Amino acid sequence: MHRVTLVDTDICFQQDETHDTLLRAGLSQGIGLPYECNSGGCGSCKFELLEGELEELWPDAPALTARDRKKGRKLACQCRALSDLVIRMRTDESCVPVHAPARQQAVLEARRDITPDIVEFRLRTESPAHFQPGQYAMLTLPGTSAPRAYSMSNLANDNGIWEFWIRRKPDGAISPALFDSFHPGDTLALDGPYGLAVLNTGSPRDVVCIAGGSGISPVLSIARGLLRSPELADRALHFFLGARTRADICGLDELAALPGFDTRVTTYIALSDASPDEGWEGATGFIHELVAKELGPRLAEHECYLAGPPPMVQATTRMLMLDHKVPQEQVHFDRFF
Ligand SMILES: Cc1cc2nc3c(=O)[nH]c(=O)nc-3n(C[C@H](O)[C@H](O)[C@H](O)COP(=O)(O)OP(=O)(O)OC[C@H]3O[C@@H](n4cnc5c(N)ncnc54)[C@H](O)[C@@H]3O)c2cc1C
Ligand code: FES
């Protein structure tokens, strides 16, 4: 057990063998450490080590620039204490977890093909699945070194059910192993929930959801949370899906099954790689272009949720905040590093 103290504050937390990183140890103890991806990609969790010894789990993590390394900055999501530590890191009330994340075993109950390269993995834990719509969990397959972040597509429940829509990345280290070697009855370590791009139940605004590829998973959870919350029953939903080809379109049956779909939901699809022989007569191009075309100046009246590959999120947030002046606090996103 190692004690981690944040210099110039009265904040400290413990890191024991149940926590694989400083970030996850602090969050599990209710400390509002800043973060986004938990995966070494965004840089939100940078800190400085002042005293003590630690292990860097992924020294080459892309979120650290050469300047960061020169200045001795590190990533809390990629470091583990080897002794008591004193670190310099800011905290933020908005990062305090609503549901403290915890690591537990989960068993795979079922798999379901969603598209040619997205599969739904339905896992069950012994304790209830408590999370906010839009959050994710860190999954560690036995025999692999590092976890990966995957967003839940379902809603919190007392039955311990966590559903994930996962895309196979052909040259990836972990997702192909999930597809090829993870079968019903197998177990893995599930650590969560994490993530700050959650449904804002206090907002009076209508909602725009924008999914790029496997970004459908958290966005479907947001849509489910919105349409199943009685206190949000007067909010309309504009649901945008960006897919490559017709075969990659997904999530529409799940949306159509939600209460209020016929009266409250408008769906829009853009295909980026549609070939002429697919007979696609809908929109083509990137999804952020379709969002701008359809809602343009009305966007600032909405609460916007988006997820997908970093270039898609970058193009979409630029369009929302720079071109259409959507206030930053109305834009909620996860980049799938
Ligand atoms: C917040 C968040 C939510 C996500 N939700 C989903 C989802 O719902 N569905 C989905 O399909 N994908 C999701 N992803 C992407 C997913 O986490 C993986 O990046 C993707 O499955 C590819 O993993 P891979 O191991 O196959 O590929 P790889 O190319 O091997 O790894 C991809 C990512 O894993 C991390 N990584 C790589 N090497 C290391 C290392 N040595 N140590 C630690 N981390 C490392 C990096 O972030 C890298 O970008 C999400 C990502 C984030 C950040
Ligand atoms: S949270 Fe650590 S790099 Fe993103």
Side-chain angles (χ1 to χ4, degrees):
M1 173 93 77
H2 302 300
R3 184 185 170 90
V4 183
T5 305
L6 273 59
V7 72
D8 297 336
T9 73
D10 53 6
I11 298 170
C12 64
F13 59 89
Q14 311 286 344
Q15 190 212 277
D16 62 23
E17 62 288 347
T18 64
H19 304 117
D20 54 355
T21 68
L22 293 183
L23 177 71
R24 300 198 267 275
L27 291 172
S28 74
Q29 288 156 66
I31 314 288
L33 300 177
Y35 74 107
E36 180 196 328
C37 71
N38 237 312
S39 306
C42 73
S44 314
C45 66
K46 282 177 197 169
F47 72 98
E48 279 173 58
L49 176 65
L50 302 180
E51 281 175 36
E53 249 187 277
L54 52 69
E55 177 186 6
E56 284 188 77
L57 302 174
W58 189 18
D60 300 328
L64 283 180
T65 61
R67 185 180 152 84
D68 286 329
R69 290 177 214 281
K70 206 167 149 197
K71 292 200 153 236
R73 292 191 190 119
K74 307 198 182 294
L75 299 173
C77 71
Q78 301 300 331
C79 286
R80 177 171 27 214
L82 296 177
S83 71
D84 287 357
L85 303 180
V86 179
I87 65 173
R88 186 185 308 281
M89 186 169 182
R90 68 184 179 90
T91 55
D92 186 335
E93 270 301 300
S94 67
C95 300
V96 173
V98 170
H99 302 290
R103 191 180 169 93
Q104 53 189 324
Q105 283 299 110
V107 60
L108 181 65
E109 282 209 336
R111 298 170 51 137
R112 179 167 71 103
D113 289 342
I114 303 290
T115 71
D117 64 358
I118 297 182
V119 163
E120 177 185 86
F121 291 84
R122 182 185 161 96
L123 293 155
R124 184 187 287 270
T125 52
E126 271 189 16
S127 42
H130 284 161
F131 57 86
Q132 295 166 280
Q135 286 197 292
Y136 64 90
M138 305 302 295
L139 304 185
T140 310
L141 262 186
T144 61
S145 53
R148 293 290 186 269
Y150 292 109
S151 311
M152 284 70 83
S153 63
N154 63 330
L155 293 178
N157 60 87
D158 289 334
N159 304 322
I161 300 295
W162 308 67
E163 289 173 358
F164 301 92
W165 286 23
I166 299 180
R167 160 166 278 157
R168 176 199 279 267
K169 182 176 170 187
D171 57 346
I174 304 293
S175 62
L178 274 170
F179 275 68
D180 299 338
S181 332
F182 191 52
H183 302 295
D186 293 346
T187 57
L188 53 62
L190 182 156
D191 184 355
Y194 294 100
L196 304 166
V198 300
L199 178 63
N200 177 1
T201 52
S203 163
R205 285 173 278 277
D206 289 339
V207 169
V208 174
C209 281
I210 311 165
S214 55
I216 182 81
S217 200
V219 167
L220 189 53
S221 178
I222 297 273
R224 285 172 158 156
L226 180 77
L227 292 173
R228 291 201 182 277
S229 300
E231 72 272 22
L232 303 175
D234 59 344
R235 312 286 196 283
L237 168 64
H238 298 274
F239 194 98
F240 290 84
L241 174 68
R244 285 171 307 195
T245 67
R246 217 172 177 146
D248 300 311
I249 297 173
C250 58
L252 301 186
D253 292 345
E254 287 75 9
L255 272 181
L258 291 170
F261 174 79
D262 292 336
T263 51
R264 296 169 59 193
V265 184
T266 314
T267 53
Y268 312 81
I269 299 170
L271 298 188
S272 58
D273 292 343
S275 65
D277 53 356
E278 280 190 88
W280 175 252
E281 289 177 357
T284 52
F286 291 123
I287 194 62
H288 69 278
E289 296 163 347
L290 184 62
V291 178
K293 179 167 167 250
E294 292 289 344
L295 297 180
R298 291 162 53 208
L299 281 165
E301 298 157 22
H302 292 79
E303 206 73 28
C304 302
Y305 301 89
L306 52 145
M312 171 262 169
V313 174
Q314 191 183 2
T316 310
T317 50
R318 277 183 71 91
M319 179 276 293
L320 292 172
M321 295 195 281
L322 293 183
D323 300 348
H324 294 289
K325 310 288 178 259
V326 183
Q328 196 179 345
E329 57 278 11
Q330 287 168 226
V331 181
H332 314 268
F333 61 85
D334 267 325
R335 292 174 283 177
F336 285 10
F337 289 103

